[in-house]
Amino acid sequence: MTARFVAKRSSGGAESVFCRAARRERVERTPVWFMRQAGRVLPEYRAVRERFSLVEICRRPDLCAEVTLQPLRRMPLDAAVLFSDIVLPLIAIGVDVEIVDGVGPVVRDAVRDAAGVRRLRAVEPNEDLPYLTETIRLLARELHPQRAVLGFAGAPFTLASYLIEGRASRHFLRTKQMLYANPALWHELMSRLTSITVATLRAQVRAGADAVQLFDSWVGALGPADYAEFVQPHVRRIFAELAPEGVPMVHFGVHTAGLLDLMKDDGATIIGLDWHLLLDEAWERIGHDLGVQGNLDPAALFGPPNALERRAADVLARAANRPGHIFNLGHGLHPETPLANVMHLVDFVHNESTRLRSAAATAAFASP
Amino acid sequence: MTARFVAKRSSGGAESVFCRAARRERVERTPVWFMRQAGRVLPEYRAVRERFSLVEICRRPDLCAEVTLQPLRRMPLDAAVLFSDIVLPLIAIGVDVEIVDGVGPVVRDAVRDAAGVRRLRAVEPNEDLPYLTETIRLLARELHPQRAVLGFAGAPFTLASYLIEGRASRHFLRTKQMLYANPALWHELMSRLTSITVATLRAQVRAGADAVQLFDSWVGALGPADYAEFVQPHVRRIFAELAPEGVPMVHFGVHTAGLLDLMKDDGATIIGLDWHLLLDEAWERIGHDLGVQGNLDPAALFGPPNALERRAADVLARAANRPGHIFNLGHGLHPETPLANVMHLVDFVHNESTRLRSAAATAAFASP
């Protein structure tokens, strides 16, 4: 176990399958959870959303915990990921963001100058996000010690892109324009967002989260040189400041195949992989002293069960019983995904990974 | 020179800097062209578009040749890429596609069943696309022998995705659903589109195109296993059937970092690289017996000149005077790109690559 893997075993879910796998210990089966597992794929979630907005749910710990737990009541998922949105901390410090169905966050006054950047004050989680930590406490009480509670926050690049573009962007031209034309302002913006991210994640861990995931969904828009210069220092600060908390830390982005050689050294203990590369090759490049999470194409859940099983089995075969694999999709569940396929996949991953382990044990026993 | 690089020197532009570089011969400077160089970035193009639709332009060889040549009248670009659209051959065989400004191709009757696939008949270029070959002839007359004429066509995956989804898609769920649920129908669709692509490219070469580019813009939506199973056989057929024509063949897609290990063996003589990976590392993986094209982030053209020059110089430094590099962007020019920056970039690439070569020659001379 290398230095960067010193994880204390103090969290309430530290002995769950998820946490043991996340620490790269041997486990009896591969743990599985899905990004966006709590959400529109579930009819019971859609029923809640008829009465409450996404932000209203997040601000009511009882309701937020219930929504977070909904998928675990249906399926034996190994972790509950806090139901939230990456812009929640921004809303909490007064940024005028609306979360529009089918569009995502829409920022009324896009941040494009020094005055806009200066308005981004620090987050005081106890004051600004009391509901977030309270929800984590409720989840910990419900799930520990068998299952893990996973906290999360948006990464500064992805947050910055929403603030600068005003909404989800295809080409990130204004964002890149700022980092090319005004690197000092860019770094000031990133620095403030980094502080917000650290405070948000640290509060979740101290409230009982067993692990955290940094969502840098759009960082793959950058080439490696721009990542190294404009993002990496901030991501490294996040993981360095969180490392003393002693929980596994996942770094996830989409289209990061060209960035993995950089990301692997940024301090995360687990790299979240999308589906655009083969898990075994990516893990080889990242190094086996880190864990990996992923990496089934979320579209596979739209196929027939045999096609879905074949692809999920391929992911598990490439993980090859190696300690440190957490099964997930390569990105979030699409809202229109057939729920029966999602439930089937959880069982398949558990059964198939158990079978692979027992086959490997038999082979080891049989060999001279 | 390996077998897959046998390029005859019969085309009229075969001794242009572009073609010599494309055959991985030593050249005095790095050739440069841009995807979408003819188009909305030019005011003279926008003036033409006030009177003619995109398809009208394509169908009038004089006008189409003029639009294709517009950027070369402004800048010393090394190749003219036929002004066209990847759906043009589909329109020519009766598919009801409209090219909508700011949206791209919109297909009225999306292809989702066997009847839809069967309606895709073969293309007879002389009958169906006489204007395409006539435009190439006009271009060859104007540009040869100094500059190269580059033909192009859409790749079957990208065409299939438009036909199935009905328009540009973010997640390609219907496309993937077909390949998961009905692989036989998928392969039949791909097979028909492959025939269309081959016929379109072959006709362009025989009319005088010095090289061709296969645009598989969206193929990066697939993971490597799906590429290997559902796309690769068809792409290989394209390059195998075109190889006897003896011209350099570029294979381009976006977000292909995870697919390069497969694409390198598909028969293209040059791989087009987007900006999400470092050119030297990608070339190493592809192998130096193939050429590479790319790979500046098109967004770099929105930055100040010093930031732009720094990034273009980095691309050239990574190409390291190695024979077989064609400078390009990692994807098409954005319509809003400042034209002055585009013109500056062409000069910069020519000057800087000349300087790098002379510096290398001096160093070689000085070394014992």
PDB file of all heavy atoms in Angstrom, chain A residues 171 176 180 220-221 223 226 230 255 258 275-276 297 299 310-311 334, chain B residues 171 176 180 220-221 223 226 230 255 258 275-276 297 299 311 334:
ATOM      1  N   HIS A 171     -18.800  23.757 -27.110  1.00  0.00           N
ATOM      2  CA  HIS A 171     -17.419  24.018 -27.522  1.00  0.00           C
ATOM      3  C   HIS A 171     -16.598  24.791 -26.478  1.00  0.00           C
ATOM      4  O   HIS A 171     -15.402  24.957 -26.655  1.00  0.00           O
ATOM      5  CB  HIS A 171     -17.411  24.775 -28.845  1.00  0.00           C
ATOM      6  CG  HIS A 171     -18.070  24.036 -29.963  1.00  0.00           C
ATOM      7  ND1 HIS A 171     -17.628  22.812 -30.403  1.00  0.00           N
ATOM      8  CD2 HIS A 171     -19.164  24.336 -30.712  1.00  0.00           C
ATOM      9  CE1 HIS A 171     -18.410  22.399 -31.396  1.00  0.00           C
ATOM     10  NE2 HIS A 171     -19.348  23.292 -31.586  1.00  0.00           N
ATOM     11  N   LYS A 176     -12.569  28.903 -22.819  1.00  0.00           N
ATOM     12  CA  LYS A 176     -11.193  28.827 -23.297  1.00  0.00           C
ATOM     13  C   LYS A 176     -10.655  30.223 -23.609  1.00  0.00           C
ATOM     14  O   LYS A 176      -9.469  30.493 -23.393  1.00  0.00           O
ATOM     15  CB  LYS A 176     -11.130  27.925 -24.530  1.00  0.00           C
ATOM     16  CG  LYS A 176     -11.419  26.460 -24.188  1.00  0.00           C
ATOM     17  CD  LYS A 176     -11.342  25.560 -25.421  1.00  0.00           C
ATOM     18  CE  LYS A 176     -11.642  24.112 -25.052  1.00  0.00           C
ATOM     19  NZ  LYS A 176     -11.563  23.210 -26.217  1.00  0.00           N
ATOM     20  N   TYR A 180      -7.129  31.615 -22.238  1.00  0.00           N
ATOM     21  CA  TYR A 180      -6.079  32.046 -23.163  1.00  0.00           C
ATOM     22  C   TYR A 180      -5.766  33.537 -22.978  1.00  0.00           C
ATOM     23  O   TYR A 180      -4.609  33.947 -22.981  1.00  0.00           O
ATOM     24  CB  TYR A 180      -6.512  31.845 -24.623  1.00  0.00           C
ATOM     25  CG  TYR A 180      -6.725  30.407 -25.028  1.00  0.00           C
ATOM     26  CD1 TYR A 180      -7.686  30.068 -25.974  1.00  0.00           C
ATOM     27  CD2 TYR A 180      -5.963  29.379 -24.477  1.00  0.00           C
ATOM     28  CE1 TYR A 180      -7.885  28.752 -26.363  1.00  0.00           C
ATOM     29  CE2 TYR A 180      -6.159  28.064 -24.858  1.00  0.00           C
ATOM     30  CZ  TYR A 180      -7.123  27.758 -25.799  1.00  0.00           C
ATOM     31  OH  TYR A 180      -7.325  26.459 -26.183  1.00  0.00           O
ATOM     32  N   GLY A 220     -12.716  17.059 -20.177  1.00  0.00           N
ATOM     33  CA  GLY A 220     -12.224  16.461 -21.410  1.00  0.00           C
ATOM     34  C   GLY A 220     -12.312  17.397 -22.610  1.00  0.00           C
ATOM     35  O   GLY A 220     -11.837  17.063 -23.695  1.00  0.00           O
ATOM     36  N   ALA A 221     -12.882  18.564 -22.437  1.00  0.00           N
ATOM     37  CA  ALA A 221     -12.891  19.565 -23.518  1.00  0.00           C
ATOM     38  C   ALA A 221     -11.495  20.124 -23.763  1.00  0.00           C
ATOM     39  O   ALA A 221     -11.222  20.677 -24.820  1.00  0.00           O
ATOM     40  CB  ALA A 221     -13.853  20.706 -23.171  1.00  0.00           C
ATOM     41  N   GLY A 223      -7.291  20.038 -24.092  1.00  0.00           N
ATOM     42  CA  GLY A 223      -6.145  19.213 -24.418  1.00  0.00           C
ATOM     43  C   GLY A 223      -5.232  19.080 -23.209  1.00  0.00           C
ATOM     44  O   GLY A 223      -5.358  19.832 -22.231  1.00  0.00           O
ATOM     45  N   ASP A 226      -3.323  22.254 -21.891  1.00  0.00           N
ATOM     46  CA  ASP A 226      -4.187  23.203 -21.193  1.00  0.00           C
ATOM     47  C   ASP A 226      -4.635  22.652 -19.840  1.00  0.00           C
ATOM     48  O   ASP A 226      -4.760  23.406 -18.871  1.00  0.00           O
ATOM     49  CB  ASP A 226      -5.400  23.570 -22.062  1.00  0.00           C
ATOM     50  CG  ASP A 226      -5.018  24.533 -23.182  1.00  0.00           C
ATOM     51  OD1 ASP A 226      -3.980  25.211 -23.052  1.00  0.00           O
ATOM     52  OD2 ASP A 226      -5.755  24.609 -24.185  1.00  0.00           O
ATOM     53  N   PHE A 230      -3.885  24.913 -16.677  1.00  0.00           N
ATOM     54  CA  PHE A 230      -5.014  25.707 -16.193  1.00  0.00           C
ATOM     55  C   PHE A 230      -5.928  24.976 -15.210  1.00  0.00           C
ATOM     56  O   PHE A 230      -6.794  25.592 -14.616  1.00  0.00           O
ATOM     57  CB  PHE A 230      -5.841  26.197 -17.384  1.00  0.00           C
ATOM     58  CG  PHE A 230      -5.089  27.154 -18.266  1.00  0.00           C
ATOM     59  CD1 PHE A 230      -4.581  26.748 -19.494  1.00  0.00           C
ATOM     60  CD2 PHE A 230      -4.856  28.450 -17.836  1.00  0.00           C
ATOM     61  CE1 PHE A 230      -3.878  27.635 -20.291  1.00  0.00           C
ATOM     62  CE2 PHE A 230      -4.154  29.346 -18.630  1.00  0.00           C
ATOM     63  CZ  PHE A 230      -3.656  28.940 -19.864  1.00  0.00           C
ATOM     64  N   HIS A 255     -14.365  11.780 -21.559  1.00  0.00           N
ATOM     65  CA  HIS A 255     -13.398  12.049 -22.627  1.00  0.00           C
ATOM     66  C   HIS A 255     -12.036  12.464 -22.060  1.00  0.00           C
ATOM     67  O   HIS A 255     -11.429  13.428 -22.504  1.00  0.00           O
ATOM     68  CB  HIS A 255     -13.913  13.115 -23.598  1.00  0.00           C
ATOM     69  CG  HIS A 255     -14.966  12.601 -24.525  1.00  0.00           C
ATOM     70  ND1 HIS A 255     -14.788  11.465 -25.285  1.00  0.00           N
ATOM     71  CD2 HIS A 255     -16.207  13.048 -24.812  1.00  0.00           C
ATOM     72  CE1 HIS A 255     -15.886  11.256 -26.009  1.00  0.00           C
ATOM     73  NE2 HIS A 255     -16.753  12.177 -25.735  1.00  0.00           N
ATOM     74  N   GLY A 258      -7.039  11.243 -23.090  1.00  0.00           N
ATOM     75  CA  GLY A 258      -5.774  11.937 -23.311  1.00  0.00           C
ATOM     76  C   GLY A 258      -5.229  12.619 -22.067  1.00  0.00           C
ATOM     77  O   GLY A 258      -4.128  13.171 -22.091  1.00  0.00           O
ATOM     78  N   TRP A 275     -16.459   5.345 -21.055  1.00  0.00           N
ATOM     79  CA  TRP A 275     -16.451   4.088 -21.815  1.00  0.00           C
ATOM     80  C   TRP A 275     -15.652   4.185 -23.116  1.00  0.00           C
ATOM     81  O   TRP A 275     -15.698   3.266 -23.931  1.00  0.00           O
ATOM     82  CB  TRP A 275     -17.878   3.645 -22.146  1.00  0.00           C
ATOM     83  CG  TRP A 275     -18.560   4.566 -23.107  1.00  0.00           C
ATOM     84  CD1 TRP A 275     -18.633   4.406 -24.471  1.00  0.00           C
ATOM     85  CD2 TRP A 275     -19.224   5.786 -22.824  1.00  0.00           C
ATOM     86  NE1 TRP A 275     -19.304   5.459 -25.034  1.00  0.00           N
ATOM     87  CE2 TRP A 275     -19.681   6.325 -24.053  1.00  0.00           C
ATOM     88  CE3 TRP A 275     -19.497   6.508 -21.641  1.00  0.00           C
ATOM     89  CZ2 TRP A 275     -20.385   7.537 -24.127  1.00  0.00           C
ATOM     90  CZ3 TRP A 275     -20.192   7.709 -21.728  1.00  0.00           C
ATOM     91  CH2 TRP A 275     -20.618   8.201 -22.949  1.00  0.00           C
ATOM     92  N   HIS A 276     -14.911   5.254 -23.287  1.00  0.00           N
ATOM     93  CA  HIS A 276     -14.214   5.434 -24.558  1.00  0.00           C
ATOM     94  C   HIS A 276     -12.847   4.796 -24.584  1.00  0.00           C
ATOM     95  O   HIS A 276     -12.057   5.045 -25.495  1.00  0.00           O
ATOM     96  CB  HIS A 276     -14.119   6.919 -24.897  1.00  0.00           C
ATOM     97  CG  HIS A 276     -15.464   7.564 -25.047  1.00  0.00           C
ATOM     98  ND1 HIS A 276     -16.050   8.282 -24.045  1.00  0.00           N
ATOM     99  CD2 HIS A 276     -16.353   7.543 -26.070  1.00  0.00           C
ATOM    100  CE1 HIS A 276     -17.230   8.705 -24.458  1.00  0.00           C
ATOM    101  NE2 HIS A 276     -17.445   8.275 -25.661  1.00  0.00           N
ATOM    102  N   ASP A 297     -20.667   1.687 -21.081  1.00  0.00           N
ATOM    103  CA  ASP A 297     -21.410   2.706 -21.828  1.00  0.00           C
ATOM    104  C   ASP A 297     -22.858   2.750 -21.307  1.00  0.00           C
ATOM    105  O   ASP A 297     -23.553   1.734 -21.342  1.00  0.00           O
ATOM    106  CB  ASP A 297     -21.398   2.332 -23.317  1.00  0.00           C
ATOM    107  CG  ASP A 297     -22.005   3.409 -24.202  1.00  0.00           C
ATOM    108  OD1 ASP A 297     -22.722   4.294 -23.696  1.00  0.00           O
ATOM    109  OD2 ASP A 297     -21.748   3.345 -25.426  1.00  0.00           O
ATOM    110  N   ALA A 299     -25.358   3.684 -22.638  1.00  0.00           N
ATOM    111  CA  ALA A 299     -26.280   3.296 -23.711  1.00  0.00           C
ATOM    112  C   ALA A 299     -26.497   1.788 -23.749  1.00  0.00           C
ATOM    113  O   ALA A 299     -27.492   1.318 -24.309  1.00  0.00           O
ATOM    114  CB  ALA A 299     -25.756   3.777 -25.062  1.00  0.00           C
ATOM    115  N   ARG A 310     -23.266  -9.074 -22.005  1.00  0.00           N
ATOM    116  CA  ARG A 310     -21.992  -9.298 -22.685  1.00  0.00           C
ATOM    117  C   ARG A 310     -21.043  -8.128 -22.415  1.00  0.00           C
ATOM    118  O   ARG A 310     -19.851  -8.327 -22.142  1.00  0.00           O
ATOM    119  CB  ARG A 310     -22.236  -9.468 -24.194  1.00  0.00           C
ATOM    120  CG  ARG A 310     -21.006  -9.794 -24.995  1.00  0.00           C
ATOM    121  CD  ARG A 310     -21.368 -10.526 -26.288  1.00  0.00           C
ATOM    122  NE  ARG A 310     -22.091  -9.697 -27.237  1.00  0.00           N
ATOM    123  CZ  ARG A 310     -21.489  -8.967 -28.204  1.00  0.00           C
ATOM    124  NH1 ARG A 310     -20.172  -8.973 -28.308  1.00  0.00           N
ATOM    125  NH2 ARG A 310     -22.212  -8.260 -29.037  1.00  0.00           N
ATOM    126  N   ARG A 311     -21.574  -6.913 -22.465  1.00  0.00           N
ATOM    127  CA  ARG A 311     -20.720  -5.735 -22.260  1.00  0.00           C
ATOM    128  C   ARG A 311     -20.304  -5.580 -20.801  1.00  0.00           C
ATOM    129  O   ARG A 311     -19.175  -5.201 -20.497  1.00  0.00           O
ATOM    130  CB  ARG A 311     -21.428  -4.494 -22.787  1.00  0.00           C
ATOM    131  CG  ARG A 311     -21.406  -4.475 -24.305  1.00  0.00           C
ATOM    132  CD  ARG A 311     -22.261  -3.430 -24.959  1.00  0.00           C
ATOM    133  NE  ARG A 311     -22.029  -3.508 -26.401  1.00  0.00           N
ATOM    134  CZ  ARG A 311     -22.559  -4.429 -27.204  1.00  0.00           C
ATOM    135  NH1 ARG A 311     -23.374  -5.357 -26.709  1.00  0.00           N
ATOM    136  NH2 ARG A 311     -22.258  -4.447 -28.485  1.00  0.00           N
ATOM    137  N   HIS A 334     -28.942   7.688 -18.236  1.00  0.00           N
ATOM    138  CA  HIS A 334     -29.857   8.535 -18.997  1.00  0.00           C
ATOM    139  C   HIS A 334     -31.252   8.426 -18.372  1.00  0.00           C
ATOM    140  O   HIS A 334     -31.673   7.328 -17.995  1.00  0.00           O
ATOM    141  CB  HIS A 334     -29.909   8.083 -20.458  1.00  0.00           C
ATOM    142  CG  HIS A 334     -28.623   8.299 -21.181  1.00  0.00           C
ATOM    143  ND1 HIS A 334     -28.147   9.562 -21.474  1.00  0.00           N
ATOM    144  CD2 HIS A 334     -27.689   7.446 -21.657  1.00  0.00           C
ATOM    145  CE1 HIS A 334     -26.988   9.461 -22.099  1.00  0.00           C
ATOM    146  NE2 HIS A 334     -26.680   8.189 -22.222  1.00  0.00           N
TER     147      HIS A 334
ATOM    148  N   HIS B 171     -26.107  11.841 -27.470  1.00  0.00           N
ATOM    149  CA  HIS B 171     -25.821  10.549 -26.833  1.00  0.00           C
ATOM    150  C   HIS B 171     -25.945   9.353 -27.780  1.00  0.00           C
ATOM    151  O   HIS B 171     -25.606   8.248 -27.401  1.00  0.00           O
ATOM    152  CB  HIS B 171     -26.748  10.355 -25.632  1.00  0.00           C
ATOM    153  CG  HIS B 171     -26.591  11.413 -24.584  1.00  0.00           C
ATOM    154  ND1 HIS B 171     -25.397  11.629 -23.937  1.00  0.00           N
ATOM    155  CD2 HIS B 171     -27.459  12.330 -24.105  1.00  0.00           C
ATOM    156  CE1 HIS B 171     -25.548  12.628 -23.080  1.00  0.00           C
ATOM    157  NE2 HIS B 171     -26.781  13.081 -23.163  1.00  0.00           N
ATOM    158  N   LYS B 176     -27.105   3.479 -31.051  1.00  0.00           N
ATOM    159  CA  LYS B 176     -26.544   2.353 -30.304  1.00  0.00           C
ATOM    160  C   LYS B 176     -27.598   1.273 -30.070  1.00  0.00           C
ATOM    161  O   LYS B 176     -27.283   0.080 -30.081  1.00  0.00           O
ATOM    162  CB  LYS B 176     -25.965   2.855 -28.987  1.00  0.00           C
ATOM    163  CG  LYS B 176     -24.729   3.740 -29.188  1.00  0.00           C
ATOM    164  CD  LYS B 176     -24.149   4.227 -27.874  1.00  0.00           C
ATOM    165  CE  LYS B 176     -22.917   5.100 -28.127  1.00  0.00           C
ATOM    166  NZ  LYS B 176     -22.329   5.606 -26.866  1.00  0.00           N
ATOM    167  N   TYR B 180     -27.051  -2.629 -30.870  1.00  0.00           N
ATOM    168  CA  TYR B 180     -27.165  -3.646 -29.819  1.00  0.00           C
ATOM    169  C   TYR B 180     -28.303  -4.624 -30.120  1.00  0.00           C
ATOM    170  O   TYR B 180     -28.168  -5.829 -29.936  1.00  0.00           O
ATOM    171  CB  TYR B 180     -27.460  -2.995 -28.456  1.00  0.00           C
ATOM    172  CG  TYR B 180     -26.368  -2.100 -27.931  1.00  0.00           C
ATOM    173  CD1 TYR B 180     -26.671  -0.976 -27.162  1.00  0.00           C
ATOM    174  CD2 TYR B 180     -25.025  -2.372 -28.191  1.00  0.00           C
ATOM    175  CE1 TYR B 180     -25.666  -0.150 -26.673  1.00  0.00           C
ATOM    176  CE2 TYR B 180     -24.032  -1.542 -27.708  1.00  0.00           C
ATOM    177  CZ  TYR B 180     -24.350  -0.430 -26.942  1.00  0.00           C
ATOM    178  OH  TYR B 180     -23.369   0.377 -26.463  1.00  0.00           O
ATOM    179  N   GLY B 220     -16.227   8.699 -32.212  1.00  0.00           N
ATOM    180  CA  GLY B 220     -15.726   8.690 -30.837  1.00  0.00           C
ATOM    181  C   GLY B 220     -16.819   8.487 -29.800  1.00  0.00           C
ATOM    182  O   GLY B 220     -16.523   8.351 -28.617  1.00  0.00           O
ATOM    183  N   ALA B 221     -18.061   8.431 -30.232  1.00  0.00           N
ATOM    184  CA  ALA B 221     -19.150   8.112 -29.294  1.00  0.00           C
ATOM    185  C   ALA B 221     -19.094   6.656 -28.857  1.00  0.00           C
ATOM    186  O   ALA B 221     -19.665   6.288 -27.830  1.00  0.00           O
ATOM    187  CB  ALA B 221     -20.509   8.395 -29.948  1.00  0.00           C
ATOM    188  N   GLY B 223     -17.282   3.020 -27.700  1.00  0.00           N
ATOM    189  CA  GLY B 223     -16.127   2.428 -27.054  1.00  0.00           C
ATOM    190  C   GLY B 223     -15.372   1.543 -28.041  1.00  0.00           C
ATOM    191  O   GLY B 223     -15.893   1.200 -29.106  1.00  0.00           O
ATOM    192  N   ASP B 226     -17.082  -1.754 -29.343  1.00  0.00           N
ATOM    193  CA  ASP B 226     -18.155  -1.509 -30.302  1.00  0.00           C
ATOM    194  C   ASP B 226     -17.598  -1.018 -31.639  1.00  0.00           C
ATOM    195  O   ASP B 226     -18.122  -1.367 -32.698  1.00  0.00           O
ATOM    196  CB  ASP B 226     -19.167  -0.504 -29.733  1.00  0.00           C
ATOM    197  CG  ASP B 226     -20.079  -1.137 -28.688  1.00  0.00           C
ATOM    198  OD1 ASP B 226     -20.221  -2.377 -28.694  1.00  0.00           O
ATOM    199  OD2 ASP B 226     -20.651  -0.405 -27.866  1.00  0.00           O
ATOM    200  N   PHE B 230     -18.659  -3.098 -34.847  1.00  0.00           N
ATOM    201  CA  PHE B 230     -19.750  -2.513 -35.633  1.00  0.00           C
ATOM    202  C   PHE B 230     -19.304  -1.495 -36.685  1.00  0.00           C
ATOM    203  O   PHE B 230     -20.098  -1.081 -37.508  1.00  0.00           O
ATOM    204  CB  PHE B 230     -20.769  -1.866 -34.694  1.00  0.00           C
ATOM    205  CG  PHE B 230     -21.460  -2.856 -33.806  1.00  0.00           C
ATOM    206  CD1 PHE B 230     -21.142  -2.966 -32.463  1.00  0.00           C
ATOM    207  CD2 PHE B 230     -22.417  -3.713 -34.343  1.00  0.00           C
ATOM    208  CE1 PHE B 230     -21.777  -3.896 -31.656  1.00  0.00           C
ATOM    209  CE2 PHE B 230     -23.061  -4.641 -33.542  1.00  0.00           C
ATOM    210  CZ  PHE B 230     -22.731  -4.741 -32.192  1.00  0.00           C
ATOM    211  N   HIS B 255     -12.558  12.725 -30.567  1.00  0.00           N
ATOM    212  CA  HIS B 255     -12.581  11.884 -29.368  1.00  0.00           C
ATOM    213  C   HIS B 255     -12.244  10.432 -29.706  1.00  0.00           C
ATOM    214  O   HIS B 255     -12.912   9.495 -29.265  1.00  0.00           O
ATOM    215  CB  HIS B 255     -13.936  11.966 -28.661  1.00  0.00           C
ATOM    216  CG  HIS B 255     -14.116  13.244 -27.899  1.00  0.00           C
ATOM    217  ND1 HIS B 255     -13.191  13.706 -26.996  1.00  0.00           N
ATOM    218  CD2 HIS B 255     -15.100  14.169 -27.918  1.00  0.00           C
ATOM    219  CE1 HIS B 255     -13.622  14.850 -26.485  1.00  0.00           C
ATOM    220  NE2 HIS B 255     -14.756  15.159 -27.027  1.00  0.00           N
ATOM    221  N   GLY B 258      -9.233   6.716 -27.567  1.00  0.00           N
ATOM    222  CA  GLY B 258      -9.334   5.318 -27.189  1.00  0.00           C
ATOM    223  C   GLY B 258      -9.457   4.368 -28.377  1.00  0.00           C
ATOM    224  O   GLY B 258      -9.464   3.146 -28.199  1.00  0.00           O
ATOM    225  N   TRP B 275      -7.674  17.466 -30.694  1.00  0.00           N
ATOM    226  CA  TRP B 275      -6.710  18.128 -29.794  1.00  0.00           C
ATOM    227  C   TRP B 275      -6.700  17.543 -28.384  1.00  0.00           C
ATOM    228  O   TRP B 275      -6.087  18.096 -27.490  1.00  0.00           O
ATOM    229  CB  TRP B 275      -7.008  19.623 -29.710  1.00  0.00           C
ATOM    230  CG  TRP B 275      -8.299  19.924 -29.008  1.00  0.00           C
ATOM    231  CD1 TRP B 275      -8.462  20.239 -27.679  1.00  0.00           C
ATOM    232  CD2 TRP B 275      -9.614  19.902 -29.565  1.00  0.00           C
ATOM    233  NE1 TRP B 275      -9.793  20.411 -27.389  1.00  0.00           N
ATOM    234  CE2 TRP B 275     -10.521  20.215 -28.531  1.00  0.00           C
ATOM    235  CE3 TRP B 275     -10.125  19.659 -30.851  1.00  0.00           C
ATOM    236  CZ2 TRP B 275     -11.900  20.279 -28.744  1.00  0.00           C
ATOM    237  CZ3 TRP B 275     -11.498  19.721 -31.049  1.00  0.00           C
ATOM    238  CH2 TRP B 275     -12.360  20.031 -30.012  1.00  0.00           C
ATOM    239  N   HIS B 276      -7.387  16.407 -28.205  1.00  0.00           N
ATOM    240  CA  HIS B 276      -7.491  15.871 -26.850  1.00  0.00           C
ATOM    241  C   HIS B 276      -6.343  14.953 -26.477  1.00  0.00           C
ATOM    242  O   HIS B 276      -6.396  14.257 -25.473  1.00  0.00           O
ATOM    243  CB  HIS B 276      -8.823  15.144 -26.677  1.00  0.00           C
ATOM    244  CG  HIS B 276      -9.996  16.049 -26.863  1.00  0.00           C
ATOM    245  ND1 HIS B 276     -10.681  16.112 -28.041  1.00  0.00           N
ATOM    246  CD2 HIS B 276     -10.570  16.965 -26.048  1.00  0.00           C
ATOM    247  CE1 HIS B 276     -11.650  17.011 -27.935  1.00  0.00           C
ATOM    248  NE2 HIS B 276     -11.596  17.545 -26.743  1.00  0.00           N
ATOM    249  N   ASP B 297      -6.279  22.840 -31.039  1.00  0.00           N
ATOM    250  CA  ASP B 297      -7.638  23.121 -30.582  1.00  0.00           C
ATOM    251  C   ASP B 297      -8.197  24.310 -31.382  1.00  0.00           C
ATOM    252  O   ASP B 297      -7.612  25.389 -31.360  1.00  0.00           O
ATOM    253  CB  ASP B 297      -7.596  23.455 -29.082  1.00  0.00           C
ATOM    254  CG  ASP B 297      -8.983  23.609 -28.464  1.00  0.00           C
ATOM    255  OD1 ASP B 297      -9.967  23.780 -29.207  1.00  0.00           O
ATOM    256  OD2 ASP B 297      -9.069  23.557 -27.222  1.00  0.00           O
ATOM    257  N   ALA B 299     -10.371  26.243 -30.694  1.00  0.00           N
ATOM    258  CA  ALA B 299     -10.630  27.360 -29.781  1.00  0.00           C
ATOM    259  C   ALA B 299      -9.402  28.242 -29.603  1.00  0.00           C
ATOM    260  O   ALA B 299      -9.519  29.403 -29.202  1.00  0.00           O
ATOM    261  CB  ALA B 299     -11.096  26.833 -28.421  1.00  0.00           C
ATOM    262  N   ARG B 311       0.622  27.742 -28.841  1.00  0.00           N
ATOM    263  CA  ARG B 311      -0.007  26.422 -29.005  1.00  0.00           C
ATOM    264  C   ARG B 311       0.313  25.802 -30.367  1.00  0.00           C
ATOM    265  O   ARG B 311       0.515  24.596 -30.482  1.00  0.00           O
ATOM    266  CB  ARG B 311      -1.510  26.544 -28.783  1.00  0.00           C
ATOM    267  CG  ARG B 311      -1.814  26.712 -27.307  1.00  0.00           C
ATOM    268  CD  ARG B 311      -3.225  27.074 -26.966  1.00  0.00           C
ATOM    269  NE  ARG B 311      -3.340  27.088 -25.505  1.00  0.00           N
ATOM    270  CZ  ARG B 311      -2.898  28.069 -24.725  1.00  0.00           C
ATOM    271  NH1 ARG B 311      -2.313  29.138 -25.245  1.00  0.00           N
ATOM    272  NH2 ARG B 311      -3.018  27.984 -23.414  1.00  0.00           N
ATOM    273  N   HIS B 334     -14.573  27.034 -36.158  1.00  0.00           N
ATOM    274  CA  HIS B 334     -15.866  27.547 -35.703  1.00  0.00           C
ATOM    275  C   HIS B 334     -16.247  28.752 -36.566  1.00  0.00           C
ATOM    276  O   HIS B 334     -15.384  29.586 -36.880  1.00  0.00           O
ATOM    277  CB  HIS B 334     -15.776  27.966 -34.238  1.00  0.00           C
ATOM    278  CG  HIS B 334     -15.558  26.819 -33.302  1.00  0.00           C
ATOM    279  ND1 HIS B 334     -16.524  25.864 -33.084  1.00  0.00           N
ATOM    280  CD2 HIS B 334     -14.496  26.470 -32.556  1.00  0.00           C
ATOM    281  CE1 HIS B 334     -16.045  24.970 -32.231  1.00  0.00           C
ATOM    282  NE2 HIS B 334     -14.825  25.303 -31.895  1.00  0.00           N
TER     283      HIS B 334
END
